[in-house]
Amino acid sequence: EMRKAVVCGAAGFIGAHLVKHLRANGRYVVGLGRSQPPDGFWGDDHKFCDLRGLPGDFGEVFDDADEVYQMAGSVGGRGWIGNPANDALILSNSALINNAVLNVCTRKVRPLSIFFASSGCVYSSKRLEGIRCDESDALPADPDNAFAWEKLYSEQLYLAYARAFPTLRVRIG
């Protein structure tokens, strides 16, 4: 039986490549997002939606999913995420998306694997100085922008949901 994967943020750079990879490896892929994926990177189905408003008309997409990949968020390059003028948008949009995705995933009664894409930004300037980092370097936190703080918060949010809902198998990368 073919496994069904839902990719949130399927039109973004990482999400589009993930869609292509999952399809090449035998998954039925539904992409979700606000924009059109590049040519050659479409899933088996693509739903244009604002993930901040789940479940809306698209909550049913998750009902028979085996895997969810959460790549969506407010991003735009180091200059954009490092600009304090964008902090409120980054924090509020990403929090709304992650809360909505998690809430719709908790409606399932069978196990669901969910992957949350964090960021190397959580390691602050260490990674820019060429210092090798691993997960133990993320906390105590010392990020240099709101995007990184949002990623750290969301990591904790996904782990809390995994503790509260045993059918969720959360992975963070």
Side-chain angles (χ1 to χ4, degrees):
E1 182 177 317
M2 184 178 283
R3 293 178 61 81
K4 178 181 175 182
V6 175
V7 178
C8 304
F13 180 77
I14 296 172
H17 282 82
L18 178 61
V19 166
K20 188 173 185 176
H21 171 79
L22 291 169
R23 287 195 71 213
N25 285 283
R27 305 294 200 295
Y28 179 86
V29 181
V30 178
L32 299 177
R34 293 185 300 172
S35 56
Q36 179 172 313
D39 288 340
F41 292 89
W42 285 79
D44 296 287
D45 191 6
H46 186 85
K47 307 284 187 191
F48 292 95
C49 64
D50 186 338
L51 293 165
R52 296 172 297 182
L54 282 174
D57 296 330
F58 302 101
E60 76 281 352
V61 168
F62 294 82
D63 289 346
D64 60 346
D66 299 294
E67 306 166 351
V68 173
Y69 297 87
Q70 205 315 68
M71 308 288 158
S74 290
V75 297
R78 185 75 175 151
W80 192 81
I81 64 173
N83 182 345
N86 299 319
D87 288 353
L89 188 65
I90 290 167
L91 292 167
S92 62
N93 283 342
S94 293
L96 288 169
I97 291 167
N98 286 309
N99 278 303
V101 168
L102 282 164
N103 284 326
V104 78
C105 287
T106 60
R107 299 184 322 180
K108 295 180 59 66
V109 293
R110 64 187 179 101
L112 174 67
S113 174
I114 183 165
F115 175 84
F116 170 69
S118 190
S119 171
C121 289
V122 301
Y123 302 112
S124 187
S125 58
K126 284 184 181 181
R127 67 182 179 78
L128 299 175
E129 296 167 6
I131 298 171
R132 186 172 173 359
C133 299
D134 64 28
E135 286 301 306
S136 65
D137 295 321
L139 297 172
D142 188 24
D144 56 5
N145 60 64
F147 176 80
W149 280 112
E150 181 279 320
K151 290 295 186 178
L152 286 167
Y153 164 77
S154 293
E155 287 181 16
Q156 294 303 309
L157 180 66
Y158 278 80
L159 294 172
Y161 266 74
R163 289 189 300 272
F165 298 92
T167 58
L168 288 183
R169 288 184 245 141
V170 170
R171 294 174 294 140
I172 299 170

